[in-house]
Amino acid sequence: MALTVSGLGVSYGDLAAVSDADLTVADGEVLALLGPSGCGKSTLLRAVAGLEPATGQVSWDGQDLAGVPVHRRGFGLVFQDGQLFPHRDVAGNVEFGLRMRRERSPERVAEMLSLVGLDGYGARRVTELSGGEQQRVALARALAPSPRLLLLDEPLSALDRALREQLAVDLARVLRATGATALVVTHDHDEAFTLADRVAVMREGRIRQVGTPDAVWQRPVDERTARFLGCGEFVDATVSGGVARCALGSVTVEWERDGDVRLGLRAGALRVAREGVGGTVVWRVRGRDHVRVRVRVAEMVVDAVAGVGDVAEVGDEVCLTLVADGVAVLPPGRADQPSPRP
Amino acid sequence: MARARPGLSPWLGLAAALPLGFLAVFFVWPVVAILRLGVGEGGVLAVLGSGQTWRLVGFTVGQAAASTVLAVLAGLPVAYLLARTSLRGLWFVRVAVLVPFVLPTVVVGLAFRTLLPDGGVFAIVLANAFFNVAVVARTVANLWSHVDGRAGDAARSLGASPLRAFRSVTLPALAPALTSAAAVVFLFCATSFGVVLILGGSRYRTLETEIYLRTVELLDLPGAAALSLVQLAAVVAALTVGALARRRGESALALRGRATVARRPRGALSWTVVAVALGVVALLLVPVVVLVARSFGGGLAGYRALAGFGHAGSLQVSGVDAALNSLRAATDATVLAVLLGVTASVVLVSLSRGRVRRGVVETMDTALMLPLGVSAVTVGFGYLVTLDMLPGDLRTSPALVPLAQALVVTPLVIRMVLPVLRSIDQRLRQAAASLGASPAAVWREVDVPMAGRSLLTAAGFGFVVALGEFGATSFLARPDTATLPVAIARLISRPGELNNQMAYAACTLLIVVTVAAVALVESAGRTRVGEF
């Protein structure tokens, strides 16, 4: 394992920002630390960088980094808002890490700028760049000295949505192309799943679940993790032969073993269809390419999605069917919060 | 696994020893020696109990309060002009407001004596306020240009009149800067020396001039010591108020981003405020213009006289030599003050970055500000008592004047450099460290380039303040090493028309140097001039 974090804790006075965190990142792997704001994920990343006094152990290839200061760790760092040196031009920023090692390599600078899609930007002033361009320069600057680990702290959060999606794809490409080992902190699932080989979900200073994006997305460990990952409603179900059956119908979950489970339902988990469980529309709102409806089914009220062409006015009787992509499977009976709108 | 606090190195203690050691040897020791000398002779309690002492305190506080109120009233419209409007020629307003602050006190005293020959309380209050309009205008403008105007807009949309919106939304937001500025101005006015000495004569005396008179003319050390004690207590109180206001100011600033708030004034109220502000600026120019005009009253006679020793040998050095003495002393003082001030700022900012308890940092910060408020006379006399105990004949050395001037200038350097260092984003430094920059390299690559401009500004201002320093210099400069301000004070205390013309010419020289330095600093870029 390249990076090993064990029993790591960071406290500010009485407040434990991070408690007992264990993590590993393999060589060439990208791990995303995913969690709501204030969950301690940035603090954990800063402790790995050597910027926060911490208890526990951070080691690289088995070597304890306790006495190693930030500038000798060889860990590159990218902040949410670039933090470019305002008194240097783009090339001056990118070559900074090389200069600290007394190397001069205009070729390397040009190569890095090309990698992030900013060919010929070397002489620009950083204050003239857009937010997206600044982030690209920050990435090139961090990658130029070939860090053994890249630490990215909410690298895309300061950008607007369209730019964020574009840059997430570019960032994923750059990370793959350079074979970088990286730890990415984010509160955005899309971003985490786009960038990462594995995802660690954090909440209230603790790591709650670690796994591949598919595993975390499809099988959250508990209801609060599932809520953070977009599940709004939960129903009890029984799996048999790869099919889960519940009060709202049945859905294919091939990867699940037989037994009792709870299903977490995301926004698109229920669709208005020709057949399925019947209910009455009680509320309706038009979305961009779909219609969202709220439907009373027996003693429950659930949200569902209808096509724009589907007739689903308030008061209409409709049928609902479960969609596999919108369903997460949780362990049974762990209702740590009462289901909403029973 | 316990890790050291990032950013705290053992070198820090060594670095802290430099400014604190200087403060101990050249400030605390002389002051304490004088106080002990006075207390030792007894009679301190008698002075503290006498009605005359408390009448002095009353007058000192009263004139300082009146001057502060006047400076705040005159400074607020100018702050609005600087922070919230985008009129052309604002750079001229910036320079015009700043020049009085760094003008030598002797020059200002002479200017107001020329304008108001009857002198009196009115002239003293006016002159003290004249000095300090810049402090209010620039401190408040600094905060005001960060205040989001939309809160005021919201109040307006809820039915508040422009005046009501200002009173209930904008004014509370400005309160930290206003309190901080008022505390500093009060401090300057309460300890103002040259102005009161020249305008008050023997009729109107403050604690500061009384300490001078008792020490120099009456040799009443217990009296002077008792009054110094009273003054010290008042100064510490004012500095504490200022520090508390700064703390609130910083936390308030942290909540807001930089907003582009300057626009063309709109509506009758805005234009009225702008007109008032321009009126204030015009009034600030009057004393300066009068002095310069007077200097040409006898043609160039005053300037020609600078080569000589004044009417009937009033001076022991020629005007030109006095000017050269001034330049030499001010240069030495500036170099020393920049060295000390920068070291102190680096220590203070490293301590706060290293998450040392806030109280420790603030105590050190306040201690370094103390020389601003303690009677220069007390310090000067203290030098004469203590410094012959040090190796080398420092007491009679010409190095004494720059040392005393550096003591006054160092706090100014700190107040200009420290805020800029504090405003550098920690993450920018961390980004540099993650790229392999050692702590020393982070300073070299990040802090120095970013604070460099404010350092130049501090050096520029430090130089003109040292050039104009009068209180301690008048006490320490020997007749043959007199500086220009000391020579001016001597010239106007002697009869003879030639002496007056020569004094006006010397004042004009000082004004020219001051204006040039301020204009240079202003044109070096739109830097924030610290917290003053």
Side-chain angles (χ1 to χ4, degrees), chain B residues 197-217:
Chain B
L197 198 67
I198 290 176
L199 295 176
S202 55
R203 274 190 305 156
Y204 299 104
R205 286 183 251 165
T206 60
L207 283 172
E208 181 92 5
T209 58
E210 183 71 11
I211 293 169
Y212 174 77
L213 290 176
R214 292 209 181 179
T215 315
V216 178
E217 297 187 357

Side-chain angles (χ1 to χ4, degrees), chain A residues 46-47 51-54 56 58 64 66 70-71 73 75 77 79 81 83-88 96-97 99-100 141, chain B residues 1-6 355 425-439 441 444-446 449-450:
Chain A
R46 292 170 53 80
L51 295 168
E52 298 285 337
V58 176
D64 187 359
V70 190
H71 64 283
R73 292 200 177 188
F75 292 175
L77 193 53
F79 288 106
D81 48 356
Q83 294 297 337
L84 301 178
F85 304 122
H87 50 289
R88 296 187 177 282
F96 189 93
R99 225 156 45 76
M100 289 301 109
R141 179 179 71 175
Chain B
M1 179 185 71
R3 284 184 214 169
R5 284 169 163 160
R355 303 213 191 96
D425 197 315
Q426 268 295 77
R427 292 172 306 157
L428 195 62
R429 310 179 84 248
Q430 291 164 355
S434 76
L435 291 165
S438 65
R444 193 183 67 232
E445 300 287 340
V446 179
M450 295 189 72

Side-chain angles (χ1 to χ4, degrees), chain B residues 141-527:
Chain B
N142 243 339
L143 181 58
W144 210 338
S145 59
H146 290 269
V147 171
D148 193 336
R150 284 173 298 180
D153 295 344
R156 292 295 310 282
S157 77
L158 293 168
S161 69
L163 216 56
R164 177 77 194 270
F166 173 78
R167 225 181 45 228
S168 52
V169 178
T170 312
L171 204 55
L174 297 180
L178 216 50
T179 329
S180 165
V184 172
V185 171
F186 183 82
L187 199 65
F188 285 161
C189 294
T191 59
S192 129
F193 176 61
V195 161
V196 182
L197 198 67
I198 290 176
L199 295 176
S202 55
R203 274 190 305 156
Y204 299 104
R205 286 183 251 165
T206 60
L207 283 172
E208 181 92 5
T209 58
E210 183 71 11
I211 293 169
Y212 174 77
L213 290 176
R214 292 209 181 179
T215 315
V216 178
E217 297 187 357
L218 307 175
L219 296 176
D220 172 17
L221 284 187
L227 295 178
S228 293
L229 278 174
V230 173
Q231 200 182 34
L232 198 60
V235 163
V236 171
L239 282 176
T240 311
V241 170
L244 289 179
R246 256 207 309 283
R247 172 192 288 210
R248 281 198 299 155
E250 277 169 14
S251 55
L253 264 184
L255 298 175
R256 301 185 191 92
R258 203 176 270 271
T260 28
V261 288
R263 48 183 156 183
R264 273 186 74 76
R266 267 205 323 242
L269 189 70
S270 298
W271 280 111
T272 311
V273 177
V274 168
V276 171
L278 291 175
V280 169
V281 173
L283 283 176
L284 289 177
L285 291 176
V286 170
V288 178
V289 171
V290 165
L291 269 189
V292 175
R294 284 290 170 100
S295 79
F296 293 106
L300 293 174
Y303 292 91
R304 262 184 243 116
L306 281 175
F309 296 84
H311 177 72
S314 298
L315 301 176
Q316 289 191 23
V317 289
S318 73
V320 173
D321 285 336
L324 291 178
N325 284 342
S326 280
L327 288 178
R328 267 195 296 271
T331 307
D332 293 349
T334 306
V335 170
L336 187 57
V338 165
L339 181 72
L340 291 170
V342 168
T343 314
S345 301
V346 167
V347 170
L348 284 171
V349 82
S350 305
L351 286 177
S352 17
R353 283 172 187 165
R355 303 213 191 96
V356 168
R357 282 233 317 280
R358 208 167 180 167
V360 177
V361 182
E362 270 170 17
T363 307
M364 183 173 163
D365 194 344
T366 304
L368 288 164
M369 290 301 115
L370 270 181
L372 273 190
V374 171
S375 160
V377 179
T378 311
V379 177
F381 197 60
Y383 275 21
L384 299 187
V385 176
T386 52
L387 294 188
D388 54 346
M389 292 184 219
L390 290 179
D393 199 2
L394 205 54
R395 210 173 60 157
T396 55
S397 150
L400 208 49
V401 170
L403 281 175
Q405 289 178 348
L407 200 62
V408 179
V409 175
T410 304
L412 295 177
V413 174
I414 294 175
R415 283 273 77 85
M416 288 183 207
V417 174
L418 186 59
V420 180
L421 286 181
R422 283 209 172 124
S423 71
I424 293 172
D425 197 315
Q426 268 295 77
R427 292 172 306 157
L428 195 62
R429 310 179 84 248
Q430 291 164 355
S434 76
L435 291 165
S438 65
V442 171
W443 277 99
R444 193 183 67 232
E445 300 287 340
V446 179
D447 299 79
V448 171
M450 295 189 72
R453 211 178 259 176
S454 77
L455 193 61
L456 276 181
T457 309
F461 280 110
F463 182 75
V464 285
V465 169
L467 206 59
E469 208 284 329
F470 178 60
T473 309
S474 68
F475 209 82
L476 297 172
R478 296 142 56 82
D480 58 321
T481 60
T483 61
L484 215 45
V486 174
I488 292 170
R490 179 141 183 101
L491 284 172
I492 59 174
S493 68
R494 294 295 167 104
E497 180 54 25
L498 181 67
N499 279 357
N500 272 336
Q501 285 175 354
M502 202 172 151
Y504 287 131
C507 280
T508 304
L509 279 189
L510 283 173
I511 290 174
V512 169
V513 175
T514 306
V515 171
V518 171
L520 201 72
V521 160
E522 274 295 331
S523 69
R526 285 211 42 204
T527 43

Side-chain angles (χ1 to χ4, degrees), chain A residues 162-180:
Chain A
L163 199 55
R164 195 162 65 221
E165 285 167 8
Q166 157 82 52
L167 207 51
V169 175
D170 282 0
L171 182 55
R173 174 183 58 78
V174 169
L175 291 177
R176 300 282 178 277
T178 53

Side-chain angles (χ1 to χ4, degrees), chain A residues 85-334:
Chain A
F85 304 122
H87 50 289
R88 296 187 177 282
D89 62 12
V90 170
N93 269 275
V94 176
E95 73 171 0
F96 189 93
L98 300 172
R99 225 156 45 76
M100 289 301 109
R101 293 193 313 210
R102 310 203 186 290
E103 287 170 25
R104 289 199 79 82
S105 172
E107 300 79 31
R108 177 74 176 162
V109 172
E111 182 194 341
M112 287 298 112
L113 285 177
S114 171
L115 181 69
V116 298
L118 292 178
D119 290 282
Y121 271 59
R124 299 263 194 115
R125 293 164 59 95
V126 296
T127 43
E128 288 166 358
L129 302 180
S130 70
E133 288 166 344
Q134 290 190 12
Q135 273 320 76
R136 288 167 191 266
V137 175
L139 182 64
R141 179 179 71 175
L143 285 171
S146 315
R148 44 190 189 173
L149 173 69
L150 191 60
L151 301 167
L152 302 139
D153 190 359
E154 302 268 9
L156 307 174
S157 299
L159 308 175
D160 61 50
R161 185 166 147 183
L163 199 55
R164 195 162 65 221
E165 285 167 8
Q166 157 82 52
L167 207 51
V169 175
D170 282 0
L171 182 55
R173 174 183 58 78
V174 169
L175 291 177
R176 300 282 178 277
T178 53
T181 310
L183 188 59
V184 189
V185 158
T186 176
H187 66 271
D188 183 299
H189 345 123
D190 278 347
E191 217 169 288
F193 295 145
T194 307
L195 297 175
D197 302 313
R198 280 191 308 142
V199 175
V201 182
M202 262 187 101
R203 192 173 63 240
E204 290 163 0
R206 289 175 185 279
I207 294 173
R208 306 288 166 165
Q209 188 175 4
V210 185
T212 62
D214 282 348
V216 171
W217 188 247
Q218 291 170 345
R219 309 188 62 193
V221 279
D222 55 31
E223 216 176 281
R224 291 181 65 189
T225 304
R227 275 182 197 286
F228 173 68
L229 294 173
C231 296
E233 283 155 279
F234 297 88
V235 286
D236 288 324
T238 309
V239 178
S240 110
V243 176
R245 289 183 179 80
C246 67
L248 295 170
S250 58
V251 61
T252 311
V253 282
E254 282 160 6
W255 27 270
E256 195 60 41
R257 270 181 290 164
D258 290 0
D260 287 342
V261 294
R262 271 173 83 69
L263 295 184
L265 307 182
R266 295 197 170 91
L270 286 164
R271 266 200 85 86
V272 173
R274 291 181 192 285
E275 51 191 22
V277 180
T280 315
V281 176
V282 294
W283 179 84
R284 168 185 199 279
V285 65
R286 178 78 162 76
R288 186 174 49 181
D289 51 5
H290 62 278
V291 176
R292 301 182 64 86
V293 290
R294 189 160 288 167
V295 181
R296 180 179 298 282
V297 182
E299 73 278 24
M300 286 165 68
V301 177
V302 293
D303 287 335
V305 175
V308 177
D310 294 336
V311 183
E313 298 298 331
V314 171
D316 282 0
E317 294 292 324
V318 292
C319 292
L320 299 179
T321 178
L322 280 166
V323 181
D325 282 350
V327 173
V329 179
L330 286 72
R334 289 271 297 278

